[in-house]
Each structure stands twice: as C-alpha cells, then as structure tokens.
C-alpha cells in the first residue's frame, strides 16, 4: 500500500536548504551503519579468543583444537590403549581418591594401564561394549537412605530402566568395592544393587564384593584388606607378574619464579559450577556471632552472615550453607618445618602438572606451598597406615625408618597408636624424626598423599521469608579429647575456624585452656579478600524443605545442632501466621544434655510457642539430668507414639535432623509404632515407609 501525503505537508517536510539535505543524508548514513554493525562492518574476529588461550590447552602442542571427549568408555579405552577401567561414584570424594590410588598401584605393581572414570563422564550403555580383554573395577559409595552419589545418577537409572533380559553384559569382567556406614538403614545398598544387576546381565565377577564400614572409621583398613585380595586375584587368577614397587609420582611440583604473581592461586576457592545445586562462591561478611551454650566445657555458635551485597545469592528455608575452611596455622607450621621450608620459600610460585597426560589437575596451579597448606590441602586429615608406610622410603635416618615400620606392620598396632596420638602428616614426620628435616621427601608425595580440602555443609537456621538477605547457621565447636589422654585433643577444623572468626568479630580473645594449644587462623584470607570478618561460602539447595501448604502438620525431631533447620521452620510458620496465613500443628522433639547448659534457642522457642496459640509444642529430652536419668529424643517419640502416628496418618510431614545413630533409632521407633497401632505385618510396614519417603513426607538431614 502507498501512502500519499497532501501537497502542503509534503512541501513542509522537503528539505528547504542544502544544510537540511546534508543533515538528512547524515542521519540516513548513521542509521544504516548502526543497523549493519557486525554484518558489514566491525565484524568480530573469529580467532580473537586464541590470543587468550594457553599453549597447554592444545593437544600435543600441535596447535590443533582439543578434540571433544568421547562418552563411549569402550572407545576411550581403545583410543588411550588402556586395559583396566576403574569407575568411581563418590559424594564426598573418598571413592575418587581410592580409585586414583588404586590405578597408580595397579600400573606400578602389575604393569596394567588403568583409566579412572567418573561414571557421569560416560554413557552407561557403552559399558556393554567393553571387550573381554578389558577389566573393570567399580568403587561406589552409598549415602543417605541407600542413595547413589550424584555422579552415579545416569548409571543408576540405566541399570533400573533396562529390563533384566534386555541388559546383556557377557564380556564384562569386573570387581567391586562399596563404601558405606552400617549405622544407616541401607548399608552399602548401592554396590549391592549394582553388582546384583551386573551379575544378572551375565557379567563375570572375579572376586567377592568388598565393603567398607565407616561406623568406627574403618574405611581405610577395609579398603587395604580388599586391595590385598584384589592383588591376589591378579597374581593367582589372572597370572599377572608383580614388580617391586618404588615411588613414581603421577605429578610434578616445581618452583618457577618466572610466574607472575597475578597468575597465582593463593587460596581462592576452586568451585565447580557444573553442580547446579550450588550457588556461586562469595566472600560473606559475618554480622554477628553469639555463644548459645552456658557451659564452659561446650561451645555452640549462632552466626549470621550478610548476603545483601551478593545479588546472585539466594536461599530457601531448609537449604545448606557450604563453608570453605582455612587450616590452622600451627598445623601448617609443623608441616613446613618438618620439610625444611621457611615462610619466604613457601611463598615461591609452584607449577603442578601431570607426569604424562592424565586427568585435569584438581589442585589450582600455579600456586604456592603456603597456599596449598593453608587453603587447598587437608593438612589436619588423619593419615592412612599405607601413607605412613610409604614415608619410610624418604626417612632422614635409619631410626626414623624403623619407627615408621614398627607402626605400620600391623593394623592393630597402628590403630592403638592413633588412638593415643593426634596423627596428621606434619605430626607424624615430627614424631619420627624430631630434630631432622625430611629433605628427601618430594613435594609431589605430599600433594598426592594429602587429600583436598572439603567444604563443610551447615544447615541454615534462618528463614528466607523472615530474613531473605541474611543467613544464620548453628555450629557446634568440636574438640574431641583422645580416649586415653584427656589433655590431647582433636579440634574440628571448620568449627574452630568459625569460633576464631566469632572471637575476632566480638574482640574477645578465647579463654586460655590448660594443656591445649588453641588453633590460630589466617583470617584475612588470600590477598586480604576476607578482611572485615568474612568467609568464603555458597548456598547448596536441599530437599529438606517445608511443605508448600503452610497448613500441613509438622513433626520435627532433632538433637544438638540438629535443631538448626527447625528454628528456621518455626520462624517461618510464626511469620506466616502473624500475617493471617493458615498454620498447621507442629511438634518439635529436641534433645540436649541439660536444660541450663545446652538447650539451644530456649527463650526464642518459648516466644514462638506463645505466638502460635497452641499450634507449636516443644518436647525436650535431656540426657544428663542426673545419675541414671537419661532420656533421648527416641524415648520421647515413643512416649507420644499415638499422637505422632495420628499426625502421620493425617498427612503430617516428618523431619529428622542430627546424627545418623539418632535418626536410625527414631526411625525404628516410628516404624514399630505404626506397625503396632495399625496392626500391619512387616511387608505392609515396609510399603508404608517407602511410600512415605517417596512422597517426601519423611525427610532426613543426617551426618556421621
């Protein structure tokens, strides 16, 4: 359609002078250039990113782009000329560490060419394509209510979704080891389910399944025992020739003073954003920190952190705060002194690289030894008997080597020693050779032997409805005396770090404790990033959430700091009720020692009870009231079994938070009560439990 303007209007719009005409041309040209930007001009250079790539990001130094990694495990083994794959499924990192250690030893002792494989990196069905000339080892952990680790999800679904007749693995020859805790109801369920499905599919299991039980800290020894059996299979069944093992590092750690300071990783958290359940890591300011325990022998801190300046940080009631700890200065100093490094040398740049190809280095590099010991390695971690035995190869004297050998020849001798002594790597070096320097001990050994620092999870004890831009946590300050000597203690790294932060904020130095050396921390953080009482943290999403409907009844059961999420639940329900929203009935069972010592949030909870007009009831359980008077939360649940069962049948949601032993006993009480009051048999009771948990009406947030 053509629009024709009236003659008088057209005459008015026409340029009247040469200046008008030039202006119109200029406007037209400018508009055209703007619209054609990035098409006809100012086109981005497709090779601009190459200016910022490091040579190490090329394959073989040829300059060709890195090929996309295959997700076919059979293809991967053929491409890399490997004959053994060690799959790991790990939630806390232990299975991954075991897989790496085992791969290295299989290569050194038996000449195998192993590949350690994250189960999430490969398509599960390609396991069925493995040739019968290959071997497979599965090292998998079980956590929670018999759940697989996050990186095992796709493999787990494949095993369950593929009908048994359709899953055929006749060429698969495998061995398996599981990590679990017998305090949990479904002890090592994951490895049992996996091996059962593999066997039904025709796979050949070459030895009995090994299982670790962490209930008494026996995971390491269980692994060593299973590994001995595995190596017997290598020798006797597979007829592999064994070689004498000598230390062969899989990484190199070298000083390189040519590295620019700005390139160094000096303690900033190395947080992987591949985990969508975690927010970005931020430096959060501690706004307040208060002591909750009245007893001088116990400490529990209520700490609040400001997230107002971090727009990308959000949390919901029931989520976790993930805290990145700093190692205590005294442990760092002990280790540095043992290997002969002063503070100046510990600040020199280090480059960490794989000896030959291999997986991506998980330790940030370049860095410094000071940053490694303070921020990236768990220098306070217990030391395995195997690691101590290996230290003998680098002993500075025959006496030191003999001392280490005497400790590690028998697992019972080593267990007895660790029960009497606080054993870290720095301390064992000092004990073995008190006045000597371990000059022959390579840095690569230290970096390989000491596990990476693990961030710690704390249940958030504030409500996102009440304080959306402030997060609260409830932290018990751990200090465990050794059974045989109360003057020797093992202090929790993160909880004592938080305690030190609290003391700094409140400008109150910690009280002197006879016979103990209080830990010191570098609170300013790397490059002063934590100045002003800050810590590195992120938010981890949780399924431990309130029901969508605020009218849903709640049963909350916790002991000690297990009250943390329930404080948040109560705060949120009280706020919703105050603005006219419906609120369901709430029972809170809370266990502690004595009401006058460690009844956490007592006054606050009393105020909430008053404001809820009978909808909230607190049922305390005191385990240290007097001689012979010990009442635990499971006892109070049993006393109120009729009320609890009636609420559960009336669609109540039940939450349990605290130590796994407590959760297990509470679960047994609830199970027996429902069975008895409803006249169910065992099968009906099991079905009810499974259905209730599947509907997220029975949720647990438990630890150790």
């Amino acid at each position: 359609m053509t629009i024709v303007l009236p003659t008088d209007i057209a005459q008015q719009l026409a340029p009247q002078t040469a200046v008008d005409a030039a202006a119109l041309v200029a406007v037209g040209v400018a508009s055209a250039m703007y619209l054609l930007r990035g098409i006809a001009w100012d086109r981005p250079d497709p090779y601009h990113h190459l200016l910022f790539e490091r040579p190490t990001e090329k394959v073989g130094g040829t300059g060709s782009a890195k090929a996309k990694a295959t997700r076919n495990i059979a293809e991967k083994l053929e491409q890399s000329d490997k004959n053994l794959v060690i799959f790991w499924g790990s939630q806390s990192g232990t299975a991954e560490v075991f897989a790496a250690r085992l791969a290295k030893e299989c290569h050194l002792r038996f000449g195998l060419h192993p590949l350690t494989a994250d189960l999430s990196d490969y398509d599960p069905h390609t396991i069925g394509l493995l040739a019968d000339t290959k071997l497979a080892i599965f090292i998998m952990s079980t956590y929670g209510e018999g759940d697989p680790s996050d990186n095992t999800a796709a493999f787990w679904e494949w095993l369950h979704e593929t009908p048994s007749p359709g899953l055929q693995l006749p060429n698969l020859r495998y061995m398996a080891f599981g990590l679990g805790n017998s305090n949990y109801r479904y002890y090592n369920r994951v490895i049992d389910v996996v091996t059962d499905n593999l066997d039904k599919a025709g796979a050949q299991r070459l030895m009995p399944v090994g299982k670790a039980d962490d209930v008494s800290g026996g995971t390491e020894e269980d692994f060593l025992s299973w590994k001995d059996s595995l190596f017997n299979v290598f020798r006797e069944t597979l007829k592999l020739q064994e070689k004498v093992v000598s230390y062969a590092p899989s990484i190199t750690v070298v000083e390189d003073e040519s590295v620019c300071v700005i390139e160094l990783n000096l303690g900033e958290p190395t947080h992987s954003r591949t985990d969508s359940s975690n927010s970005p890591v931020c430096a959060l300011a501690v706004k307040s920190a208060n002591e909750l325990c009245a007893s001088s022998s116990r400490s529990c801190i209520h700490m609040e952190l400001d997230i107002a300046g971090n727009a990308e940080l959000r949390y919901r009631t029931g989520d976790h705060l993930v805290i990145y700890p700093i190692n205590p200065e005294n442990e760092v100093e002990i280790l540095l002194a043992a290997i002969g490094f002063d503070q100046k040398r510990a600040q020199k740049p280090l480059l960490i690289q794989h000896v030959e190809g291999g997986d991506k280095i998980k330790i940030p590099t370049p860095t410094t030894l000071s940053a490694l010991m303070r921020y990236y390695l768990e220098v306070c971690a217990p030391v395995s008997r195997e690691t101590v035995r290996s230290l003998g190869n680098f002993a500075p004297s025959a006496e030191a080597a003999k001392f280490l050998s005497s400790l590690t020849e028998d697992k019972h001798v080593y267990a007895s020693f660790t029960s009497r002594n606080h054993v870290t790597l720095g301390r064992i070096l000092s004990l073995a050779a008190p006045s000597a320097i371990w000059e022959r001990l390579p840095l690569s050994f230290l970096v390989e032997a000491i596990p990476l620092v693990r961030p710690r999870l704390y249940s958030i004890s504030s409500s996102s409805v009440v304080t959306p831009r402030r997060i609260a946590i409830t932290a018990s300050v751990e200090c465990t005396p050794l059974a045989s000597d109360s003057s020797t203690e093992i202090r929790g790294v993160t909880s004592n770090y938080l305690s030190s932060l609290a003391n700094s904020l409140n400008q109150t130095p910690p009280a002197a404790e006879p016979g103990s050396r209080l830990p010191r921390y570098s609170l300013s953080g790397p490059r002063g990033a934590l100045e002003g009482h800050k810590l590195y943290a992120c938010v981890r999403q949780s399924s431990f959430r309130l029901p969508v409907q605020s009218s849903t009844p709640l049963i909350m059961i916790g002991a000690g700091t297990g009250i943390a999420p329930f404080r948040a639940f109560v705060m949120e329900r009280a706020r919703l009720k105050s603005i006219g929203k419906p609120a369901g009935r709430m029972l809170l069972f809370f266990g502690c020692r004595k009401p006058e010592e460690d009844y956490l949030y007592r006054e606050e909870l009393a105020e909430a009870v008053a404001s809820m007009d009978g909808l909230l009831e607190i049922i305390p359980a005191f385990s240290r009231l007097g001689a012979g008077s010990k009442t635990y939360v499971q006892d109070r649940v049993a006393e109120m079994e009729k009320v609890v069962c009636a609420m559960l049948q009336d669609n109540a949601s039940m939450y349990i938070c605290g130590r796994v032993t407590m959760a297990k006993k509470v679960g047994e009480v609830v199970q027996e009560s429902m069975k008895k009051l409803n006249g169910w048999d065992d099968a009906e009771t099991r079905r009810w439990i499974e259905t209730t948990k599947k509907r997220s009406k029975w949720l647990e947030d438990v630890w150790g």
Side-chain angles (χ1 to χ4, degrees):
M1 180 177 67
T2 303
I3 299 176
V4 180
L5 296 174
T7 304
D8 57 339
I9 296 177
Q11 289 175 346
Q12 292 177 25
L13 292 176
Q16 303 298 314
T17 67
V19 174
D20 292 341
L24 284 173
V25 171
V27 169
V29 171
S31 299
M33 290 184 69
Y34 176 78
L35 293 172
L36 293 173
R37 183 183 179 187
I39 301 173
W41 72 284
D42 195 26
R43 296 176 65 182
D45 179 2
Y47 302 105
H48 179 68
H49 67 282
L50 296 178
L51 296 173
F52 306 98
E53 284 190 358
R54 296 182 178 181
T56 53
E57 293 177 351
K58 309 295 183 181
V59 177
T62 63
S64 59
K66 210 173 194 179
K68 184 178 180 181
T70 178
R71 291 190 57 82
N72 184 322
I73 186 60
E75 186 178 275
K76 178 67 175 179
L77 291 185
E78 294 299 334
Q79 287 176 353
S80 54
D81 196 25
K82 307 291 187 182
N83 53 14
L84 167 65
V85 56
I86 304 177
F87 294 106
W88 56 266
S90 185
Q91 195 69 16
S92 65
T94 305
E96 181 181 3
V97 169
F98 282 170
R101 281 170 47 188
L102 182 61
K104 182 176 179 180
E105 199 165 353
C106 287
H107 176 65
L108 293 175
R109 293 180 65 167
F110 295 96
L112 291 167
H113 301 286
L115 171 75
T116 56
D118 181 335
L119 276 161
S120 65
D121 287 344
Y122 298 95
D123 294 328
H125 72 273
T126 64
I127 294 174
L129 304 177
L130 291 175
D132 58 7
T133 56
K134 311 294 184 183
L135 295 172
I137 295 175
F138 295 86
I139 302 180
M140 306 179 71
S141 63
T142 299
Y143 80 103
E145 289 297 298
D147 301 318
S149 59
D150 293 343
N151 74 311
T152 311
F155 176 68
W156 187 257
E157 290 175 8
W158 174 68
L159 283 179
H160 286 78
E161 291 176 0
T162 306
S164 185
L167 183 61
Q168 299 296 322
L169 302 170
N171 293 331
L172 181 64
R173 297 188 301 160
Y174 81 96
M175 292 75 77
F177 183 75
L179 291 84
N181 186 313
S182 60
N183 275 333
Y184 286 86
R185 179 183 179 88
Y186 298 102
Y187 167 62
N188 261 312
R189 173 174 177 257
V190 170
I191 203 66
D192 285 340
V193 170
V194 167
T195 54
D196 184 56
N197 279 273
L198 294 179
D199 291 347
K200 288 179 179 177
Q204 181 185 359
R205 192 197 309 172
L206 299 180
M207 62 180 288
V209 177
K211 294 181 182 179
D213 187 358
D214 198 43
V215 70
S216 57
T219 296
E220 176 71 29
E221 288 296 340
D222 292 336
F223 176 71
L224 293 180
S225 178
W226 172 80
K227 189 181 69 173
D228 288 342
S229 299
L230 172 70
F231 289 168
N232 279 334
V233 171
F234 285 172
R235 284 186 294 263
E236 298 172 9
T237 305
L238 302 179
K239 307 301 181 183
L240 298 178
Q241 295 297 313
E242 187 172 9
K243 295 179 286 188
V244 177
V245 176
S246 58
Y247 175 64
S250 57
I251 60 172
T252 59
V253 183
V254 295
E255 293 182 0
D256 186 349
E257 296 193 53
S258 68
V259 176
C260 181
V261 174
I262 198 170
E263 295 183 41
L264 293 174
N265 298 273
L266 296 181
E268 300 82 1
T270 55
H271 174 60
S272 171
R273 290 310 311 279
T274 56
D275 187 350
S276 59
S277 61
N278 280 12
S279 76
V281 179
C282 302
L284 304 181
V286 179
K287 304 308 290 185
S288 66
N290 306 311
E291 177 60 59
L292 296 175
C293 288
S295 170
S296 59
S297 62
R298 294 170 64 80
S299 176
C300 187
I301 298 171
H302 173 82
M303 181 174 281
E304 298 195 358
L305 301 105
D306 184 16
I307 63 172
N310 304 97
E312 71 275 31
L313 216 60
R314 294 285 187 273
Y315 81 99
R316 290 176 60 187
T317 306
D319 282 345
H320 295 101
L321 187 69
V322 183
I323 294 178
Y324 290 75
I326 295 175
N327 286 319
E329 288 295 294
N330 59 308
E331 291 294 338
V332 173
E333 291 165 359
I334 289 171
L335 184 49
L336 289 177
I339 60 176
F341 275 67
D342 57 22
Q343 286 298 326
K344 182 178 180 181
R345 188 180 174 191
Q347 300 295 338
K348 289 185 178 181
L350 296 178
L351 286 177
I352 305 173
Q353 297 175 319
H354 274 288
V355 172
E356 30 173 87
D359 298 328
K360 180 182 177 183
I361 293 283
K362 297 195 175 180
I363 297 173
T365 181
T367 184
T368 67
L369 189 59
S370 177
L372 280 174
M373 300 306 178
R374 189 171 284 119
Y375 302 107
Y376 294 132
L377 299 178
E378 288 269 11
V379 299
C380 295
V383 189
S384 71
R385 181 165 60 96
E386 189 174 46
T387 297
V388 175
R389 183 165 50 200
S390 299
L391 284 172
N393 298 321
F394 314 105
S397 66
E399 292 77 12
K402 184 178 179 181
F403 171 76
L404 295 174
S405 177
S406 67
L407 286 181
T408 57
E409 286 177 352
D410 185 275
K411 67 178 182 179
H412 301 294
V413 171
Y414 189 67
S416 175
F417 176 76
T418 55
S419 71
R420 302 189 310 273
N421 297 275
H422 182 192
V423 179
T424 62
L425 192 55
R427 290 170 183 261
I428 197 70
L429 295 178
S430 299
L431 282 169
S435 57
I437 293 176
W438 291 67
E439 295 177 340
R440 296 171 52 221
L441 184 62
L443 291 181
S444 58
F445 182 93
L446 294 179
V447 174
E448 290 180 304
I450 305 175
L452 291 173
V453 163
R454 292 179 298 104
R456 273 64 164 184
L457 273 67
Y458 286 84
S459 297
I460 293 177
S461 53
S462 55
S463 162
S464 57
V465 169
V466 180
T467 57
R469 304 311 294 156
R470 184 170 284 204
I471 288 178
I473 58 171
T474 309
S476 175
V477 182
E478 299 294 333
C479 180
T480 307
L482 292 174
S484 60
D485 183 359
S486 60
S487 67
T488 303
E489 69 242 341
I490 299 177
R491 291 181 172 270
V493 173
T494 308
S495 63
N496 280 269
Y497 166 51
L498 295 176
S499 178
S500 183
L501 257 177
N503 291 326
S504 173
L505 177 71
N506 297 326
Q507 297 183 338
T508 54
E513 296 180 32
S516 69
R517 184 179 179 185
L518 295 175
R520 296 172 287 110
Y521 297 86
S522 181
L523 298 180
S524 60
R527 295 187 174 95
L530 303 180
E531 290 281 7
H533 314 294
K534 296 179 182 178
L535 55 77
Y536 281 122
C538 66
V539 172
R540 182 174 177 83
Q541 295 176 10
S542 170
S543 59
F544 202 75
R545 298 272 178 80
L546 280 166
V548 174
Q549 294 184 326
S550 58
S551 58
T552 302
L554 303 181
I555 301 169
M556 301 167 285
I557 306 165
T561 54
I563 199 173
F566 303 142
R567 174 185 183 264
F569 288 5
V570 169
M571 288 175 64
E572 186 155 317
R573 282 285 177 93
R575 173 60 62 87
L576 292 174
K577 184 178 183 301
S578 71
I579 60 175
K581 298 289 184 182
R585 182 182 181 185
M586 293 183 287
L587 288 185
L588 172 56
F589 295 88
F590 172 61
C592 62
R593 294 187 175 188
K594 297 180 181 179
E596 66 275 8
E597 288 187 3
D598 55 352
Y599 193 147
L600 308 182
Y601 303 112
R602 186 177 187 179
E603 293 77 13
E604 193 177 284
L605 290 172
E607 292 175 5
V609 169
S611 70
M612 292 297 289
D613 299 328
L615 291 175
L616 171 62
E617 183 179 357
I618 313 288
I619 303 100
F622 305 115
S623 61
R624 299 289 189 276
L625 273 181
S629 178
K630 292 187 177 182
T631 304
Y632 299 98
V633 285
Q634 61 266 26
D635 301 321
R636 301 307 305 271
V637 171
E639 291 171 10
M640 298 187 65
E641 62 177 2
K642 291 184 179 179
V643 175
V644 169
C645 292
M647 289 181 66
L648 287 172
Q649 290 180 312
D650 192 30
N651 199 41
S653 294
M654 183 171 71
Y655 301 84
I656 306 174
C657 185
R659 294 198 175 276
V660 64
T661 49
M662 177 274 294
K664 183 178 181 180
K665 291 174 181 176
V666 168
E668 290 170 352
V669 168
V670 172
Q671 175 180 330
E672 288 304 312
S673 297
M674 290 294 288
K675 179 181 178 181
K676 178 179 67 176
L677 294 176
N678 289 286
W680 293 337
D681 59 24
D682 289 342
E684 290 172 313
T685 307
R686 278 196 303 273
R687 280 197 298 271
W688 175 80
I689 292 173
E690 291 170 1
T691 302
T692 304
K693 291 184 176 181
K694 189 175 293 184
R695 293 173 55 222
S696 296
K697 302 297 289 182
W698 178 334
L699 294 170
E700 297 183 4
D701 184 359
V702 298
W703 57 86

